[in-house]
Amino acid sequence: MTTRKLQTVIPSIAASDGAGVKLRRSLGSAQTLRHDPFLMLDEFFSDNPDDYIRGFPSHPHRGFETVTYMLDGHMRHEDSIGHRGDLGPGDAQWMTAGRGIIHSEMPQQTEGRMRGFQLWINLPAKEKMKPAAYRDIPAREIPTVSLENGGEVRVIAGAFVQGERCTSGPIQGLSTEPLYLDVRLPARASFAAPVTTGHHAFLYVYDGKATVGDEGQSLPHRAAGLLADGDVVRVGAGSQEAHFLLLAGKPLREPIVQHGPFVMNTREEIEQALADYRDGTLTVRNS
Ligand code: MN
């Protein structure tokens, strides 16, 4: 067994997206700060409606997947292929932009806490132009595994293996084989999960502090900790309860050209996406 070490820390920085939603961006805060196949991770967290009330009005995507995971608050999704979804605490939404989708994500509350994450996962070149797809994953469909130390693991994508027991999440069968776990550890408790060798993995601690690996390297709060290769991830909580995301996926090792909400392999494909959006054919199949 090779325990994965903490290799690179990407601190989150204050950013604003949509119509002025304040958030913290770690992965994706610069185009060099990615972890193939992961393009971006945003955390939005505020008790002040001025920070989120304007939401993310209608905007396009092409070439990748967006995954929204809510901890607190209520957002509504509407898109160009007619899907409507309500996201509340503990719910997730898995959207494959593929060839193209135009959607909005708007808060359904005027006060109180809004907290959650949006992750962008790249698609392989051969799937970038596939039809768009959307899946709402209500909290009750996300399995929760209780740990012996009193902790808890929610399995959103991939599988969490503990001894003989394997718990699979609702999202399976994607080319990038994503693992998406949300873990809560009591103070001073520890956690281990096998992660496929060769897959890129990272942690994001959103409450408390955590240490990583056999040497207990410390990972700051609200930073993405990219992990070196290995077959097991070990995390320890500090003197307080720790909450963190563990994400892993199969790297695509393909060129990336990104222009805002379009993520393709070549400059020409970006020009085509911009032209299609301008012409109103971004979301049209087989044009
Ligand atoms: Mn979007």
Side-chain angles (χ1 to χ4, degrees):
M1 297 274 268
T2 309
T3 303
R4 287 177 178 248
K5 291 189 162 94
L6 179 61
Q7 194 167 51
T8 307
V9 174
I10 303 175
S12 64
I13 58 168
S16 166
D17 211 334
V21 177
K22 290 193 179 149
L23 46 83
R24 306 282 307 183
R25 180 164 295 163
S26 48
L27 243 63
S29 54
Q31 294 205 347
T32 49
L33 301 177
R34 297 183 178 123
H35 201 36
D36 181 17
F38 301 105
L39 301 164
M40 190 187 84
L41 179 68
D42 284 346
E43 178 190 3
F44 43 93
F45 176 25
S46 182
D47 296 319
N48 176 1
D50 292 343
D51 291 344
Y52 60 74
I53 202 74
R54 289 176 298 277
F56 303 88
S58 192
H59 61 278
H61 293 290
R62 173 178 279 180
F64 62 103
E65 306 192 85
T66 70
V67 183
T68 308
Y69 177 46
M70 292 292 283
L71 298 175
D72 296 289
H74 189 186
M75 295 261 259
R76 175 180 289 162
H77 161 102
E78 289 183 296
D79 68 39
S80 52
I81 42 178
H83 297 116
R84 259 188 147 194
D86 274 322
L87 270 109
D91 295 342
Q93 176 202 85
W94 202 285
M95 189 179 86
T96 305
R99 183 203 156 87
I101 198 163
I102 297 171
H103 76 149
S104 62
E105 299 148 298
M106 299 301 289
Q108 301 298 301
Q109 64 192 49
T110 52
E111 55 180 19
R113 177 167 293 186
M114 179 72 79
R115 187 173 200 188
F117 302 93
Q118 189 168 91
L119 175 73
W120 288 12
I121 309 177
N122 205 2
L123 282 170
K126 62 180 190 313
E127 292 180 31
K128 283 185 177 290
M129 295 298 276
K130 72 181 183 181
Y134 169 86
R135 181 159 169 202
D136 247 332
I137 307 160
R140 66 176 180 279
E141 287 179 18
I142 300 174
T144 301
V145 179
S146 298
L147 303 175
E148 278 174 17
N149 58 26
E152 230 172 45
V153 180
R154 302 191 78 221
V155 187
I156 297 159
F160 173 56
V161 180
Q162 228 194 347
E164 304 280 285
R165 187 172 168 204
C166 174
T167 307
S168 294
I171 298 292
Q172 299 290 333
L174 304 179
S175 299
T176 50
E177 300 173 32
L179 173 70
Y180 193 144
L181 304 180
D182 177 20
V183 183
R184 179 181 62 76
L185 281 186
R188 298 182 215 289
S190 61
F191 162 89
V195 172
T196 309
T197 305
H199 284 195
H200 285 169
F202 73 101
L203 298 161
Y204 186 87
V205 182
Y206 62 91
D207 270 328
K209 286 181 184 164
T211 57
V212 182
D214 295 329
E215 290 146 36
Q217 297 166 280
S218 80
L219 175 59
H221 179 221
R222 306 185 92 181
L226 313 192
L227 306 177
D229 203 8
D231 52 13
V232 61
V233 173
R234 295 183 198 281
V235 180
S239 56
Q240 297 166 22
E241 182 173 89
H243 278 209
F244 62 91
L245 305 179
L246 168 58
L247 294 149
K250 187 178 177 182
L252 296 170
R253 306 188 195 285
E254 293 176 341
I256 296 173
V257 182
Q258 176 171 3
H259 181 86
F262 306 125
V263 182
M264 303 301 289
N265 302 107
T266 67
R267 188 70 229 167
E268 291 69 31
E269 289 165 348
I270 290 293
E271 296 298 339
Q272 189 63 52
L274 291 164
D276 289 351
Y277 184 46
R278 197 170 52 232
D279 299 345
T281 57
L282 184 86
T283 65
V284 180
R285 292 179 198 184
N286 307 317
S287 68

